[in-house]
Amino acid sequence: PAGFRGLAAKPLSLASPEGALVGQVMTAARLRDIARIATDEIEPENDMHASAEYRLDVACTLIERAIADAQRGARTVTGATQ
């Protein structure tokens, strides 16, 4: 599961993105969709450091990047081109 800190009072573990990844061809649009699915589970708080909206936006971006990085790593290990 994906893990996040700094979004809520305690660390979060997100399971929903994993099921959305299985058997899918990763496109930029699909990455955004999966990141949005994941952030549906997050209910960040506003505080003096950042707004809840900003925290969700950052979480979405980080999820997209993590999935894209993992995909690139998998291609490197397996020698796949797609």
Side-chain angles (χ1 to χ4, degrees):
F4 287 93
R5 294 188 64 173
L7 290 172
K10 60 182 182 176
L12 302 171
S13 178
L14 307 176
S16 64
E18 292 176 357
L21 289 167
V22 176
Q24 298 295 320
V25 174
M26 287 298 111
T27 63
R30 186 69 185 144
L31 286 174
R32 279 189 300 279
D33 290 344
I34 291 168
R36 287 188 183 113
I37 289 168
T39 57
D40 284 346
E41 295 181 36
I42 301 171
E43 294 180 16
E45 301 171 358
N46 288 307
D47 66 19
M48 62 188 244
H49 302 291
S51 69
E53 182 180 329
Y54 175 78
R55 291 174 196 263
L56 280 176
D57 186 50
V58 170
C60 191
T61 299
L62 292 175
I63 292 167
E64 285 181 53
R65 289 180 185 174
I67 295 169
D69 287 349
Q71 183 182 22
R72 280 191 293 279
R75 286 183 186 153
T76 301
V77 170
T78 64
T81 58
Q82 289 190 341

